[in-house]
Amino acid sequence: MSNEQPETMITVQHVFKSVTDSTGTLPILRDIDFTLKKGETSAIVGASGSGKSTLLSIIAGLDTPTQGTVYLAGQDLFALDEDQRAALRAAKVGFVFQSFQLLGNLTALENVMLPLELAGRRDARATAADMLGRVGLGTRLNHYPKVLSGGEQQRVALARAFVVRPAVLLADEPTGSLDHATGETIMRLMFDLNNELGTTLVLVTHDRAIAARCERRITIEAGQMA
């Protein structure tokens, strides 16, 4: 059993990441170490190529560290096998990406229903419709992604992430491909839902104004915490 306290949601413990190819070994992350509490909002900031997205992938258990580990809701992620990590992600984690990652052959409603159906929820349709209504898309349930604007697609992605009431939301440049006004709407929605559901929010961004709205800022410079 981990000695994690209940109020700690994420612990990143002395994480290193490097990749090796024919030219040698390239360090990407060096000795990253921090904890985040339940419900805390945090921004990971840094220049392009500093290792921010790699760190987010390791926190999600999608990438493995060369050294060190991550505790998510008290579970040592890298003591689990891939299937166990996937099950933990399904139960605890929501994702929002810059590129939306919606399934083009599914309607907005079907995209949001998907994680609920995978979890065996019988109320998937009603719950997904309610969440889409809360992000202002109650009249767009049966529209496919290709006929939705970028901002509308990101709202669908937000609804899909939050519909399972995740303990942790990981967002990688969620407003990166949106205009300023639309991005502002998306961030307001994200913080409102985070506040309402008590979700721990970890946000990768290069936008200092967005980072300033988070309770915690983690700055990565050349793979190290500044």
Side-chain angles (χ1 to χ4, degrees):
M1 284 293 292
S2 155
N3 60 0
E4 293 284 305
Q5 296 300 311
E7 67 270 13
T8 300
M9 184 54 67
I10 296 169
T11 302
V12 177
Q13 255 179 14
H14 301 294
V15 162
F16 290 74
K17 177 71 178 180
S18 57
V19 293
T20 303
D21 62 15
S22 58
T23 62
T25 299
L26 175 69
I28 297 171
L29 295 171
R30 288 179 283 193
D31 201 18
I32 307 295
D33 195 85
F34 62 87
T35 62
L36 297 173
K37 294 184 175 65
K38 183 179 188 299
E40 192 168 6
T41 58
S42 57
I44 300 173
V45 298
S48 181
S50 60
K52 304 186 301 294
S53 293
T54 300
L55 177 56
L56 199 72
S57 290
I58 289 172
I59 292 170
L62 293 166
D63 196 357
T64 54
T66 308
Q67 189 180 323
T69 196
V70 174
Y71 288 90
L72 182 66
Q75 289 265 11
D76 181 346
L77 272 184
F78 302 105
L80 305 175
D81 64 29
E82 278 191 39
D83 288 346
Q84 291 169 322
R85 283 202 296 274
L88 184 61
R89 272 195 300 275
K92 300 284 185 185
V93 182
F95 294 95
V96 180
F97 301 97
Q98 179 176 341
S99 56
F100 317 136
Q101 303 278 9
L102 300 178
L103 296 174
N105 61 331
L106 299 182
T107 63
L109 181 62
E110 290 164 344
N111 266 283
V112 179
M113 285 171 63
L114 190 59
L116 296 169
E117 290 178 322
L118 291 173
R121 291 270 296 270
R122 293 185 178 182
D123 61 345
R125 180 171 292 273
T127 305
D130 176 64
M131 184 56 80
L132 281 164
R134 288 165 68 187
V135 300
L137 291 177
T139 61
R140 310 285 269 165
L141 303 185
N142 298 314
H143 290 70
Y144 288 91
K146 67 183 178 187
V147 298
L148 299 175
S149 69
E152 287 171 331
Q153 289 185 58
Q154 193 61 298
R155 287 181 194 214
V156 175
L158 263 187
R160 182 182 59 188
F162 274 111
V163 77
V164 294
R165 304 181 77 88
V168 174
L169 182 77
L170 304 177
D172 194 357
E173 299 282 9
T175 62
S177 54
L178 304 175
D179 65 75
H180 178 76
T182 306
E184 181 61 33
T185 301
I186 293 297
M187 290 313 303
R188 196 161 55 242
L189 267 172
M190 188 178 290
F191 281 104
D192 285 350
L193 289 168
N194 152 263
N195 192 42
E196 183 185 331
L197 301 179
T199 299
T200 303
L201 175 62
V202 185
L203 181 69
V204 163
T205 184
H206 65 276
D207 187 324
R208 298 281 168 175
I210 290 173
R213 293 164 69 167
C214 293
E215 297 161 282
R216 179 91 178 272
R217 192 160 63 183
I218 297 159
T219 303
I220 307 293
E221 289 180 2
Q224 292 178 292
M225 285 178 66

